[in-house]
Amino acid sequence: MSQGFSTRAIHAGYDPDPLTGAVNVPIYASSTFAQDGVGGLRGGFEYARTGNPTRRALEANIAALEGGTFGRAFASGMAATDALLRATLRPGDHLVIPNDAYGGTFRLIDKVFTQWGIDYSVAPITDADAVRAAITDKTKLVWIETPTNPLLNVGDIAVLAEIAHGAGAKLVVDNTFASPYLQQPLALGADVVLHSTTKYLGGHSDVVGGALVTDDEQLDVDIAFLQNGAGAVPGPFDGYLTMRGIKTLAVRMDRHSDNAERVVEFLSGHSKIEKVLYPGLPDHPGHDVAAKQMARYGGMVSVLVAGGLEAAQDFCARTEVFTLAESLGGIESLIEHPGAMTHASTAGSLLEVPDNLVRLSVGIEDIDDILGDLEKALH
Ligand SMILES: *Cc1c(COP(=O)(O)O)cnc(C)c1O
């Protein structure tokens, strides 16, 4: 029987150092490792691009949180995305991506991978039939995020895994928004889970990183080859910061969810807000699926602001507790305008976002300060 989530978050991947008893994983600031005779590696490490003990501890920890066998850490979520695409696709192959994918994911596929003979189709992940229809005989990957960034749409992981597998393709789930505390895609049939650890896993807006977790041994071999061969690895200090963040993931996610629920309640009744997008709302189209596959609904809330683009950007500029900034998942509340910021690269494409959309990453500050700030900014 495996340990509970919080126990794994705090302990998996590292036992106190037998030499010193250090309770926390040391920051192994060493690019190379001494050998006892040629090929005589002491701890299995030879060169830090290939492997570093701090990074190795982080990788084992994230794998344990996702209930997976193999974990690989990268220098950013996009580096993990890039490695996964190259590990799984060859010229002539095709993949399906969400019609509201993370802007950077879309940009990398649309601007770079198409140049190397990779073709893609977009489909709403909320609609299993549309995803099935987008699959061709060349499809090797079905790539989803759930909930999606920034529209918070929900895809049914178990159903989409079945559809992908039926076509001989793998299902990738970008689990950045939910975090493994709220959703564990491998248990639902996904082949590989991707994280921008920059967000909830790191959790303190002080480090950029990415990770891939899979149970598929051959896929892990291919990912590890690119991790070493192309070298987009995180440094040991990044690995340490990410592990430090992960230790409190469970308590943070509960507080993020508590605060987001209060924000949703407040904004839902507000005259300056046209619509609140949150999977926890009973009238959200993905609510039933989210209730089935998520423990709670998380800290991300998006809204359509009444009055269009200008009113939306004005709202973003007037908050004080919410910092106007890109990114998400940290302890501090952030607000942003996806159309002009994180998702500007989707303008004019099928993935373009509404111009009155505002995305909130609800932090873990005192709820009265969060609500007071929103009230003032919408006045
Ligand atoms: C931020 C983000 C990424 C990219 O990760 P980086 O760490 O910024 O490279 C990928 N997917 C989602 C859903 C994200 O929010």
Side-chain angles (χ1 to χ4, degrees):
M1 183 57 203
S2 86
Q3 292 176 318
F5 186 89
S6 293
T7 308
R8 278 178 279 152
I10 293 164
H11 295 289
Y14 178 73
D15 288 322
D17 179 13
L19 195 64
T20 64
V23 167
N24 281 301
V25 65
I27 301 166
Y28 283 93
S30 192
S31 60
T32 189
F33 299 86
Q35 306 191 9
D36 295 319
V38 176
L41 307 183
R42 294 177 193 178
F45 298 100
E46 52 189 334
Y47 183 61
R49 167 157 45 71
T50 321
N52 170 289
T54 314
R55 186 176 101 214
R56 187 60 56 79
L58 170 67
E59 292 175 333
N61 183 278
I62 295 179
L65 294 188
E66 286 290 354
T69 315
F70 308 103
R72 299 287 165 186
F74 289 85
S76 68
M78 289 319 303
T81 300
D82 177 60
L84 181 57
L85 291 168
R86 284 187 289 138
T88 51
L89 299 170
R90 296 292 174 271
D93 288 345
H94 172 266
L95 79 160
V96 179
I97 61 171
N99 63 350
D100 59 343
Y102 173 69
T105 307
F106 169 68
R107 182 177 57 193
L108 182 67
I109 293 166
D110 181 61
K111 296 275 188 285
V112 179
F113 278 83
T114 54
Q115 292 189 57
W116 299 90
I118 306 294
D119 193 17
Y120 72 91
S121 303
V122 303
I125 58 141
T126 51
D127 180 349
D129 290 332
V131 172
R132 191 183 285 110
I135 290 174
T136 75
D137 58 357
K138 302 259 166 46
T139 304
K140 293 285 164 30
L141 282 186
V142 175
W143 186 289
I144 69 165
E145 298 169 26
T146 182
T148 60
N149 178 5
L151 292 172
L152 297 165
N153 286 317
V154 174
D156 190 322
I157 297 171
V159 167
L160 294 170
E162 227 176 276
I163 291 173
H165 296 159
K170 291 189 196 304
L171 180 73
V172 181
V173 178
D174 181 337
N175 203 27
T176 299
F177 264 40
S179 90
Y181 181 62
L182 300 181
Q183 174 173 281
Q184 295 174 6
L186 295 177
L188 297 166
D191 297 280
V192 50
V193 172
L194 179 137
H195 279 285
S196 168
T197 57
T198 313
K199 316 294 169 52
Y200 285 109
L201 290 174
H204 296 73
S205 306
D206 54 6
V207 60
V208 170
L212 297 171
V213 180
T214 183
D215 287 327
D216 179 333
E217 188 164 8
Q218 184 57 49
L219 180 57
D220 179 65
V221 166
D222 295 342
I223 291 167
F225 181 85
L226 280 162
Q227 184 193 41
N228 178 50
V233 293
F237 187 57
D238 295 353
Y240 162 79
L241 281 175
T242 307
M243 278 194 87
R244 180 179 161 104
I246 286 172
K247 290 179 199 297
T248 56
L249 180 65
V251 291
R252 284 188 287 108
M253 289 314 294
D254 274 327
R255 181 62 70 86
H256 282 297
S257 301
D258 290 343
N259 284 355
E261 284 168 13
R262 294 284 305 277
V263 163
V264 166
E265 186 187 310
F266 170 75
L267 294 175
S268 291
H270 202 286
S271 62
K272 301 268 173 67
I273 298 297
E274 211 172 274
K275 191 165 189 188
V276 178
L277 310 175
Y278 188 66
L281 282 170
D283 67 350
H284 184 282
H287 178 69
D288 291 347
V289 174
K292 188 179 71 171
Q293 69 190 17
M294 299 179 76
R296 298 187 67 179
Y297 306 101
M300 298 302 298
V301 178
S302 289
V303 294
L304 297 173
V305 179
L309 173 68
E310 206 176 316
Q313 294 198 342
D314 194 48
F315 176 32
C316 294
R318 288 167 58 99
T319 55
E320 284 167 12
V321 176
F322 280 82
T323 301
L324 175 56
E326 299 198 356
S327 199
L328 61 108
I331 62 296
E332 68 290 282
S333 292
L334 300 178
I335 188 167
E336 69 122 358
H337 184 263
M341 296 170 64
T342 49
H343 290 67
S345 67
T346 63
S349 79
L350 287 169
L351 285 80
E352 185 168 310
V353 293
D355 68 1
N356 63 336
L357 182 74
V358 168
R359 189 187 77 182
L360 305 171
S361 175
V362 180
I364 63 171
E365 299 95 338
D366 291 291
I367 188 61
D368 291 344
D369 295 327
I370 290 175
L371 296 178
D373 190 43
L374 294 174
E375 183 161 33
K376 209 168 108 227
L378 283 170
H379 215 61

